[in-house]
Amino acid sequence: MLPPPDVNTEGRDLRAAAAGELALRFPARWLEEHTVLPLERDKDGAVVIASSGAVNANVADALQRTLKTTVRFVTLPQGEIRAALLATDRASVGGRDDLNDPVETVEGVDDLRALASREPVVQVVNAMFAEALQARASDIHVESIPQGLRVRFRLDGVLRDAQMLGRPFQLAVLSRLKIIAGLDIAERRLPQDGRARVRIANRDVDVRVSTLPALHGESMVLRLLDHGTSSRTLTTLGIADDIQARFSGMLTRSSGLLLVTGPTGSGKTTTLYAALAARSAPGIKVVTVEDPVEYRLEGITQLPVNPRAGFTFANALRAILRHDPDVILVGEMRDIETAEIAVQAALTGHLVLSTLHTTDAASAVTRLTEMGIAPYLVAATLQGVLAQRLVRTVCEPCATWHPASASEGALMGEQHAHFRIRHAVGCDACAHTGYQGRAAIAELLVLTDAMRAHIINGASLEQLRIDAREQQGRSLRDDGWRLVRAGITTVDEVVRVVSEDEAR
């Protein structure tokens, strides 16, 4: 391999070079395959060639023989080289490249399909998926900006820049992703949702795709659901032993309603899957209704909703009840109809698991009544609520122990104690963030007879929170301090995830 020297390449017109006489001496597919681009002749007569990295000796020899002169390599970003080759190639499919208004540039559907099928575009999209999977990203954000496309990965709940793609790639990459997800590639003025399954490095990954028309062109979010990821258990989630024991005990009940609550991205679905894995047994019929089915579980009947076909959560629940289930999982209680059927199922001898978007456990009670469920039905069916968040865990290779500062001790309620906690530092292993992986912090509300009486009598949210605190003894933030003391996460991370209001 021939390592190219670092050379100042500012101001080079790659698009002109790709369309120039030197580049036209080579097949476009060959240049794309090896990511090389002849730029110009220097004052000594040698041809300057852009490459994204070390050049294979055979490729260098082919360049030299075809050009009949010596060659000299300069380093340029791979995306810029591919974009230049693609931009020139667009003329062959009749495309336009209006640099002043890429959003309004209109190609025919056939032109867009041809553009999206070009080898550089396919390689860029495949590499994007592979890099995201290797980084353990949960989402890929592809955002149109004036310079082209900004690609960001959500890693451990936080967005991180991954790459920039030039404007010539904008329509091509977006069209490619739409084709993969089965979306209308000609529709750019309305949001669209789709899904796909891609195979990367011998692993099947389901992808949920959502588009939005934005100021500088469409933006996309791709949620990655990796079936190659091992299933989690209540133990490996990091939930405290006492909470885990009480929650596991509630899963053995034959009827009632169990809820897992928290904001989007707080791990609710993962906890429910872990609960189902713990509850599933040969003598138990378990049925789920989800949007979509995120992970496959052996021995469980899983139903994906299909609103376009009229198969909603409510319709699916009605059908499930005719199949003699013991345990039912409802992916989310989104409306009053779904909530009413779920409550009726819990009343008639089924254990029903579901999720709600609330900030804490007590808020789930008021959310159900606000949705229209009668307080006496909530009191009769609701068995418990697990509220949770995910905190990033410190990177083991680089985290360091330090004595807790006075302010950190005050936050943790240990102003006069002398103890050590870990701080996130950052290294190559964690991409200099200081964190790798996530763990759950939780609070569990188990309804007592006294609480049921308060619910029936229309107790306020504040009263319910007082009841919950008296029963649990600790809040979400208190449970976060448990992980801080154990050196699993940091004070800053707990403060970031749980606000002062939620800390109560």
Side-chain angles (χ1 to χ4, degrees):
M1 307 290 281
L2 304 177
D6 290 328
V7 176
N8 181 13
T9 58
E10 184 178 358
R12 293 190 185 276
D13 188 348
L14 297 191
R15 287 154 56 89
E21 180 268 337
L22 293 172
L24 292 178
R25 297 189 188 185
F26 300 89
R29 185 173 293 274
W30 188 86
L31 294 175
E32 294 169 0
E33 179 182 353
H34 299 291
T35 322
V36 292
L37 174 60
L39 297 176
E40 61 189 6
R41 292 186 185 273
D42 64 16
K43 60 183 179 181
D44 299 324
V47 174
V48 179
I49 296 177
S51 173
S52 61
V55 180
N56 185 284
N58 292 331
V59 174
D61 183 62
L63 288 165
Q64 193 162 296
R65 282 187 289 104
T66 301
L67 294 168
K68 296 182 173 58
T69 186
T70 57
V71 294
R72 186 165 60 88
F73 296 100
V74 297
T75 304
L76 284 177
Q78 183 183 71
E80 292 186 15
I81 297 174
R82 290 193 183 281
L85 292 167
L86 175 65
T88 301
D89 191 53
R90 293 181 71 177
S92 66
V93 294
R96 294 166 48 203
D97 188 18
D98 185 350
L99 291 181
N100 294 319
D101 196 0
V103 180
E104 296 302 324
T105 300
V106 178
E107 289 87 353
V109 172
D110 291 339
D111 291 345
L112 284 173
R113 289 189 182 278
L115 200 61
S117 300
R118 295 298 301 154
E119 188 65 23
V121 179
V122 174
Q123 289 182 4
V124 165
V125 171
N126 289 347
M128 182 193 304
F129 280 122
E131 185 181 347
L133 196 62
Q134 184 178 16
R136 298 177 296 107
S138 61
D139 303 84
I140 302 173
H141 289 239
V142 183
E143 302 161 333
S144 293
I145 60 176
Q147 295 79 16
L149 289 177
R150 177 175 65 173
V151 180
R152 297 193 288 174
F153 296 160
R154 188 172 293 281
L155 305 176
D156 296 330
V158 178
L159 282 174
R160 186 185 306 165
D161 287 341
Q163 59 180 304
M164 277 288 303
L165 299 174
R167 288 166 66 108
F169 264 108
Q170 186 170 359
L171 280 175
V173 168
L174 293 174
S175 297
R176 178 70 184 171
L177 292 171
K178 284 184 177 180
I179 290 172
I180 291 173
L183 301 178
D184 182 354
I185 61 174
E187 178 57 73
R188 304 177 200 168
R189 291 176 172 83
L190 294 174
Q192 296 188 72
D193 293 298
R195 60 190 62 179
R197 173 166 293 180
V198 297
R199 189 163 182 81
I200 302 294
N202 297 320
R203 293 161 67 178
D204 287 330
V205 180
D206 281 341
V207 185
R208 290 160 56 186
V209 180
S210 176
T211 75
L212 282 177
L215 179 62
H216 300 293
E218 288 180 290
S219 291
M220 288 188 178
V221 174
L222 299 88
R223 168 65 57 89
L224 306 181
L225 306 171
D226 182 9
H227 295 298
T229 303
S230 59
S231 59
R232 305 291 296 273
T233 66
L234 292 175
T235 301
T236 59
L237 289 175
I239 296 175
D241 292 342
D242 61 327
I243 293 178
Q244 184 185 146
R246 287 190 294 156
F247 188 64
S248 296
M250 297 172 71
L251 291 171
T252 64
R253 299 185 181 185
S254 59
S255 64
L257 178 63
L258 290 180
L259 297 176
V260 179
T261 73
T264 301
S266 60
K268 300 186 297 296
T269 301
T270 302
T271 297
L272 284 178
Y273 274 110
L276 283 184
R279 186 69 171 88
S280 180
I284 299 294
K285 171 81 169 183
V286 181
V287 183
T288 76
V289 52
E290 308 167 64
D291 183 21
V293 173
E294 296 195 9
Y295 300 101
R296 300 169 187 172
L297 295 175
E298 292 293 331
I300 290 176
T301 303
Q302 296 174 272
L303 310 178
V305 300
N306 188 347
R308 291 180 181 176
F311 192 58
T312 63
F313 275 111
N315 291 339
L317 266 176
R318 291 191 186 94
I320 287 171
L321 291 175
R322 294 192 290 271
H323 278 249
D324 189 29
D326 297 294
V327 180
I328 303 171
L329 183 148
V330 183
E332 183 181 345
M333 288 194 184
R334 296 182 176 177
D335 52 58
I336 178 59
E337 187 180 13
T338 303
E340 286 178 339
I341 299 171
V343 167
Q344 288 299 320
L347 273 177
T348 55
H350 306 87
L351 182 64
V352 180
L353 311 179
S354 191
T355 68
L356 279 177
H357 292 279
T358 65
T359 57
D360 60 11
S363 298
V365 176
T366 55
R367 178 62 56 85
L368 288 174
T369 57
E370 288 169 357
M371 290 176 69
I373 305 298
Y376 76 91
L377 288 176
V378 175
T381 57
L382 186 60
Q383 302 298 315
V385 182
L386 181 75
Q388 71 176 55
R389 298 287 190 279
L390 293 178
V391 293
R392 293 181 294 172
T393 55
V394 295
C395 174
E396 289 294 335
C398 65
T400 59
W401 289 92
H402 292 281
S405 67
S407 60
E408 289 170 331
L411 278 170
M412 297 174 66
E414 301 185 21
Q415 295 92 330
H416 306 295
H418 298 284
F419 58 98
R420 292 165 64 82
I421 58 177
R422 290 175 100 181
H423 288 182
V425 177
C427 65
D428 290 341
C430 59
H432 301 279
T433 64
Y435 299 93
Q436 267 194 321
R438 289 189 288 178
I441 59 175
E443 61 174 6
L444 177 63
L445 173 63
V446 180
L447 266 71
T448 63
D449 289 341
M451 290 192 69
R452 295 183 197 280
H454 285 164
I455 293 171
I456 293 173
N457 293 328
S460 66
L461 175 58
E462 187 57 37
Q463 177 61 55
L464 294 174
R465 282 176 170 168
I466 292 172
D467 291 345
R469 190 61 183 271
E470 289 176 350
Q471 178 200 115
Q472 299 170 85
R474 66 175 183 264
S475 65
L476 277 168
R477 185 173 281 195
D478 291 334
D479 195 48
W481 302 144
R482 170 182 63 88
L483 296 186
V484 172
R485 294 186 191 95
I488 296 172
T489 191
T490 64
V491 170
D492 289 343
E493 184 65 7
V494 173
V495 171
R496 180 185 72 86
V497 170
V498 185
S499 68
E500 282 288 350
D501 291 340
E502 295 162 338
R504 297 194 304 280

